Each structure stands twice: as structure tokens, then as C-alpha cells.
Amino acid sequence: MDDIVAIALFRHGMTLENKRQAYLGWTDSTLVPGQVLTEIPVSFERIFTSDLGRCRETAKILFPNYVPEIVPELREMNFGDWEGKTYEQLKYDIMYQNWLDEPFKVSPPNGESYSAFTLRVEKGWNEITKRILENRIPTTALVTHGGVVRYLLTRYATEEKEFWDWSIPYGQGYQLTWSREGLRRGEKCISLQEVPSMEN
């Protein structure tokens, strides 16, 4: 239907740093070799991706016949001095303890506050949705990061869930559907579904 717009949000595949449960924001890490990420059976007219290698690499696997458009605003939160470190390495750090208690108020040292992160993501989202509406693109996929997908779901999904309550498996995602006018007005989507499983 011409009035319906679908946008799918995919998380990148698991990286080596993810595997060891390290904080991975603006630092990059290669995908875990041998993980099964398969081409998406659903066709999308346009693909957008974060500029970080793990997203571009995932996009190449999931959508081999597309050249994704790079949107740097779709990056994960910058964890500053905690990049590449694990909970075990940080658990006695008082700043880290404060951040765990109030992650939406406390910022990682030399990193990004939650409000700065969400403002940046919204800027990228608004640019993408503007292009979708101007060019009347019916189906779009974004390959991005866990934090970005969680934020966009808390903001636009029909289900009311807290940020951390969303489960975002590596290499998988959710598809949100709007009426064209609803997307233009920045409303919540009218339907939400998990994108078909891609990992064995």
C-alpha cells in the first residue's frame, strides 16, 4: 500500500570485543569468525548503516546486492575511557558504579552522555526519514548498534518498554510500520514485528 512505510532496525553481528563482554562504542572490532549471518529474505529498497566497520561488514553479509548509505549519527554511544574494558575491570571504579546506578544521568569519563547520544541518533533518524518521505521509499533497513536500536524502539515502538528491557540479538532486528503521515509527524509506529531470524 502506497501509504505504508516500513523501517527495519538490525543490530550488527557479534564482534570479538562483544564476545568478551567489553564496552564497544566508537572503538571498532571485527566480527566473530564463523558466526552464521545469512542474507535477509525480505527485500528493502534502501539500506542505511552506521559508519563503523562492524555495521558495514554486517550490512554486506545481510544485503549483498546493495550499496548502503553511511550515516555516522547511527553510531553506538561513545563509552570514553571505558571503551574496550569489561565489567570485571571497571567494577571498583566509583564513576562506573554511579553510571550503573543512573546510566541516563551519569556520563562515562571522556565519553558521551545519554542525552547527547539520543540527540545525535535523532538527528540521523530525522535525516533518514526525511529522505524516505521525500523519495516515497516504502521499505528501508538500518544496520546499526544495540544502543541505537533500543533507543529507537523506546521512542517509536507500539510496545511500552524501558531501554534495557528490549532484547536485541546480534544480527537480528525489528520492523516498524507507519502510515506515511504518522512517520512525517514523528508518531509511534502502528505495528512492530521481529525480523525473520538470521542466526542459527
Side-chain angles (χ1 to χ4, degrees):
M1 293 192 325
D2 191 45
D3 190 46
I4 295 298
V5 182
I7 303 175
L9 310 173
F10 291 93
R11 185 181 190 179
H12 60 77
M14 181 184 279
T15 69
L16 296 171
E17 289 292 274
N18 294 142
K19 194 169 185 178
R20 70 179 196 91
Q21 298 185 312
Y23 285 95
L24 186 64
W26 287 17
T27 311
D28 221 340
S29 175
T30 55
L31 297 183
V32 171
Q35 71 181 300
V36 181
L37 292 172
T38 55
E39 189 177 337
I40 299 299
V42 184
S43 67
F44 294 95
E45 203 162 297
R46 198 75 61 88
I47 310 295
F48 295 92
T49 178
S50 155
D51 63 334
L52 293 174
R54 58 191 185 269
C55 288
R56 290 187 284 111
E57 203 177 330
T58 301
K60 202 178 291 184
I61 297 166
L62 299 183
F63 306 105
N65 301 319
Y66 293 82
V67 177
E69 296 178 49
I70 306 296
V71 182
E73 289 86 359
L74 293 180
R75 277 186 177 207
E76 183 59 277
M77 179 184 278
N78 182 352
F79 293 109
D81 294 352
W82 301 338
E83 292 269 341
K85 293 183 178 171
T86 63
Y87 170 80
E88 285 301 317
Q89 292 172 293
L90 294 167
K91 63 184 178 183
Y92 299 116
D93 181 325
I94 190 70
M95 276 288 290
Y96 179 66
Q97 291 170 13
N98 292 340
W99 180 73
L100 287 180
D101 289 338
E102 296 191 292
F104 305 120
K105 293 181 182 174
V106 176
S107 307
N110 296 309
E112 198 172 23
S113 69
Y114 181 75
S115 61
F117 162 71
T118 58
L119 281 171
R120 166 172 60 77
V121 172
E122 278 291 341
K123 183 184 173 202
W125 175 260
N126 290 337
E127 184 54 44
I128 289 167
T129 55
K130 183 182 168 193
R131 281 194 248 172
I132 287 170
L133 293 165
E134 283 176 354
N135 297 295
R136 301 192 72 79
I137 301 164
T139 56
T140 304
L142 276 55
V143 181
T144 181
H145 306 264
V148 176
V149 176
R150 281 190 183 93
Y151 168 69
L152 291 172
L153 288 172
T154 58
R155 178 80 176 75
Y156 295 108
T158 47
E159 285 182 49
E160 293 288 339
K161 283 190 189 179
E162 296 297 319
F163 184 87
W164 297 113
D165 292 339
W166 288 102
S167 170
I168 319 290
Y170 293 105
Q172 298 187 38
Y174 292 87
Q175 181 165 295
L176 297 81
T177 306
W178 285 264
S179 68
R180 192 169 294 281
E181 197 49 45
L183 182 62
R184 190 187 311 280
R185 290 197 297 257
E187 295 173 357
K188 287 187 177 288
C189 69
I190 52 177
S191 76
L192 175 73
Q193 65 186 60
E194 290 185 29
V195 176
S197 177
M198 290 149 279
E199 289 190 277
N200 295 343

